[in-house]
């Protein structure tokens, strides 16, 4: 399997500095700063990119799991919310919420929840983020 890469450049001190993150694929390049990470300033931040990665991974994992169980979805849409909080004086990702909606013909709500929970546990990004104390899932059928 391929190795995926991204680069980040940071110039200056923590509060006054600025940075740029770039994906290997060149699909994204964006500035980041102290205000964009710890306040509501313009630009991106590592947590937003983690959220994008988790949402994308979970959507694919759920689609694959549904298809494998005989319920190919018409669509899966996921929003990930990454919570960054101070814990013992250190910025820490404390929680990730996955909010997913899927259009899946012929599936019961119970079977959908069973498959969705298994997809959350099996998603490679969920597994990589195992140190996050809480990863929740709210999944609903469209």
């Amino acid at each position: 399997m391929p190795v995926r890469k991204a680069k980040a450049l940071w110039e200056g001190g923590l509060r006054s500095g600025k940075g740029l993150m770039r994906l290997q694929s060149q699909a994204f390049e964006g500035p980041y700063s102290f205000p964009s990470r710890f306040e509501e300033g313009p630009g991106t931040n590592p947590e937003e990119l983690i959220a994008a990665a988790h949402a994308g991974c979970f959507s694919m994992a759920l689609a694959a799991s549904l298809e494998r169980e005989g319920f190919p979805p018409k669509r899966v849409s996921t929003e990930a919310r990454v919570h960054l909080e101070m814990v013992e004086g250190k910025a820490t990702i404390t929680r990730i919420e996955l909010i997913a909606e899927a259009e899946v013909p012929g599936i019961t709500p119970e079977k959908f929840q069973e498959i969705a929970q298994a997809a959350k546990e099996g998603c490679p990004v969920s597994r990589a983020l195992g140190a996050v104390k809480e990863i929740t899932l709210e999944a609903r059928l469209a």
Side-chain angles (χ1 to χ4, degrees):
M1 297 197 122
V3 174
R4 304 300 183 195
K5 301 179 214 170
K7 290 185 177 183
L9 170 67
W10 187 262
E11 296 174 318
L14 175 63
R15 290 186 181 272
S16 62
K18 63 182 179 178
L20 183 71
M21 291 187 277
R22 177 181 302 131
L23 302 183
Q24 171 189 7
S25 65
Q26 299 179 9
F28 171 81
E29 178 178 298
Y32 71 115
S33 64
F34 185 91
S36 73
R37 188 165 192 199
F38 300 107
E39 300 167 356
E40 294 294 328
T44 190
N45 54 70
E47 292 73 27
E48 185 175 52
L49 296 176
I50 288 171
H54 206 172
C57 185
F58 176 76
S59 288
M60 288 181 77
L62 181 54
S65 297
L66 287 163
E67 188 172 48
R68 192 171 36 255
E69 292 287 330
F71 302 100
K74 287 189 174 183
R75 68 175 183 83
V76 176
S77 174
T78 305
E79 176 181 323
R81 299 175 182 170
V82 173
H83 295 258
L84 183 67
E85 301 176 48
M86 295 302 287
V87 175
E88 298 176 3
K90 296 178 183 171
T92 304
I93 294 173
T94 57
R95 181 169 41 123
I96 299 173
E97 300 167 69
L98 297 172
I99 299 114
E101 181 176 275
E103 190 175 343
V104 188
I107 196 168
T108 65
E110 297 78 19
K111 185 66 174 175
F112 174 71
Q113 290 300 321
E114 173 189 320
I115 294 170
Q117 287 296 328
K120 180 187 77 121
E121 300 303 320
C123 163
V125 172
S126 289
R127 291 196 324 263
L129 296 171
V132 176
K133 294 188 186 288
E134 183 181 15
I135 300 176
T136 64
L137 171 64
E138 175 187 316
R140 62 185 174 273
L141 291 168

